[in-house]
């Protein structure tokens, strides 16, 4: 039974190692897919920003060309219209970037839900395998205890029937053990209970580690996506309502200065 116990433990470790590799592969597949989606979305966002920056550059060039020159009503009207178009472009940039971000949020939510379903299936299978393995190991331990108790009883009966009692080759300590049937039973029962307690504690620890790893990965991905979304929204707001707004106000101030001349 001891060899069966050890074989069962070896089998559990081998299967757990295989399951861990499969979970790592699933995680890597999601990470790679998420990186590809993010790269594509970032490229599209940069295209929107580049188009706006190109328009802004044209407008700034138009304003720069008017600096130091005599007032021209037609050219001023052109600058007013160009500035208004740039304001509209900035609003459109915000809408485009936010729409792209919301689309990315949906993409990642769907991808993460799919990953979590697959990973949860592996997690549940691992818990079931752990439960089944330790049930079998406790059964083996119980069988070993019964065999040990039966053997102890047999040796005690042989001893008290004097078939072993007169053996000069038997150490006195062994004779004392064989003569104390209750002591042998208590010792074997105590050893069995200690073994069962060890198996229970080990099973709980294995399952706790499994849950901890699951929570770290799944919750970590969701928390990471939440932080990424918050950071991206802040980046969009800082660009549109900060950097670009400051530029628009600077151009408006240039127009206002012309009106006071």
């Amino acid at each position: 039974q001891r060899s069966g116990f050890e074989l069962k433990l070896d089998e559990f470790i081998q299967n757990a190692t295989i399951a861990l590799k499969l979970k790592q592969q699933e995680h890597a597949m999601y990470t790679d897919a998420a990186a590809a989606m993010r790269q594509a979305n970032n490229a599209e966002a940069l295209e929107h920003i580049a188009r706006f920056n190109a328009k802004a550059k044209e407008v700034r060039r138009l304003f720069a060309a008017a600096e130091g020159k005599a007032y021209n009503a037609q050219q001023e009207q052109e600058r007013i219209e160009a500035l208004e178009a740039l304001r509209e472009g900035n609003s459109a940039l915000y809408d485009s970037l936010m729409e792209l971000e919301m689309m990315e949020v949906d993409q990642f939510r769907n991808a993460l839900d799919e990953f979590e379903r697959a990973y949860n299936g592996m997690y549940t299978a691992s818990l079931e395998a752990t439960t089944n393995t330790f049930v079998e190991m406790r059964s083996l331990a119980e069988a070993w205890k019964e065999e040990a108790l039966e053997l102890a009883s047999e040796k005690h009966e042989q001893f008290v029937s004097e078939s072993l009692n007169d053996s000069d080759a038997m150490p006195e300590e062994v004779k004392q053990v064989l003569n104390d049937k209750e002591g042998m039973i208590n010792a074997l029962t105590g050893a069995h209970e200690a073994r069962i307690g060890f198996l229970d504690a080990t099973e709980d620890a294995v399952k706790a580690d499994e849950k901890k790893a699951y929570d770290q990965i799944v919750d970590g991905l969701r928390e990471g996506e939440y932080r990424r979304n918050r950071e991206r929204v802040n980046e969009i707001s800082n660009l549109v309502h900060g950097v670009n707004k400051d530029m628009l106000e600077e151009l408006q101030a240039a127009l206002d200065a012309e009106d006071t001349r």
Side-chain angles (χ1 to χ4, degrees):
Q1 294 298 336
R2 285 185 180 276
S3 61
F5 188 92
E6 293 168 352
L7 288 173
K8 179 55 63 177
L9 182 59
D10 289 342
E11 179 185 351
F12 173 72
I13 293 174
Q14 291 173 1
N15 291 337
T17 301
I18 293 172
L20 176 60
K21 289 181 179 179
L22 291 175
K23 282 180 276 191
Q24 290 173 337
Q25 290 174 1
E26 187 69 27
H27 188 197
M29 288 173 58
Y30 167 80
T31 302
D32 291 344
M37 286 190 296
R38 184 166 291 119
Q39 184 177 10
N41 291 333
N42 287 344
E44 187 173 350
L46 290 174
E47 289 179 3
H48 286 292
I49 295 171
R51 285 195 292 269
F52 174 83
N53 288 342
K55 294 177 181 177
K57 186 175 182 180
E58 293 176 1
V59 174
R60 293 179 72 92
R61 187 182 297 116
L62 181 64
F63 272 68
E67 291 181 2
K69 294 184 179 180
Y71 174 77
N72 185 302
Q74 181 179 353
Q75 291 179 352
E76 182 184 29
Q77 185 61 32
E78 290 177 358
R79 291 192 293 276
I80 292 174
E81 293 175 358
L83 181 56
E84 182 58 29
L86 193 59
R87 285 197 182 95
E88 293 175 358
N90 193 40
S91 296
L93 175 63
Y94 179 81
D95 292 340
S96 296
L97 293 178
M98 288 301 296
E99 181 180 356
L100 187 61
E101 174 58 20
M102 292 303 100
M103 181 183 70
E104 185 169 337
V105 168
D106 289 339
Q107 287 177 334
F108 278 95
R109 181 186 297 113
N110 294 335
L112 190 51
D113 287 345
E114 183 177 347
F115 166 77
E116 187 172 359
R117 282 192 294 270
Y119 200 84
N120 185 66
M122 297 179 180
Y123 166 71
T124 302
S126 293
L127 291 183
E128 291 177 353
T130 299
T131 297
N132 294 336
T133 295
F134 279 88
V135 166
E136 294 177 12
M137 292 175 75
R138 278 188 285 267
S139 178
L140 289 171
E142 184 68 27
W144 179 87
K145 183 198 76 170
E146 294 301 324
E147 290 185 8
L149 288 175
E150 184 178 348
L151 180 61
S153 179
E154 178 183 333
K155 293 302 181 181
H156 173 74
E157 294 302 327
Q158 290 178 1
F159 180 80
V160 297
S161 66
E162 299 184 354
S163 60
L164 292 176
N165 195 10
D166 295 334
S167 175
D168 294 332
M170 181 179 296
E172 189 63 30
E173 293 82 358
V174 176
K175 291 181 180 181
Q176 291 177 1
V177 170
L178 292 175
N179 190 46
D180 185 5
K181 181 178 181 180
E182 183 177 351
M184 285 193 294
I185 292 175
N186 290 337
L188 291 171
T189 301
H192 170 71
E193 291 175 351
R195 185 176 295 110
I196 293 299
F198 171 77
L199 290 175
D200 291 344
T202 302
E203 180 181 4
D204 290 342
V206 170
K207 289 181 176 180
D209 288 344
E210 189 76 34
K211 186 177 188 306
K212 181 179 179 181
Y214 176 87
D215 290 342
Q216 285 179 338
I217 291 176
V218 175
D219 292 346
L221 289 174
R222 292 198 178 279
E223 290 172 4
E225 173 57 17
Y226 174 80
R227 289 194 301 271
R228 184 210 62 78
N229 171 248
R230 291 297 89 201
E231 290 172 0
R232 177 55 58 85
V233 170
N234 287 335
E235 289 173 357
I236 294 172
S237 180
N238 289 336
L239 174 64
V240 174
H241 301 137
V243 176
N244 291 351
K245 182 181 178 182
D246 289 345
M247 176 192 63
L248 292 169
E249 290 178 349
E250 178 185 337
L251 294 174
Q252 182 62 55
L255 274 178
D256 295 342
E258 288 186 8
D259 291 339
T260 60
R261 287 191 298 181

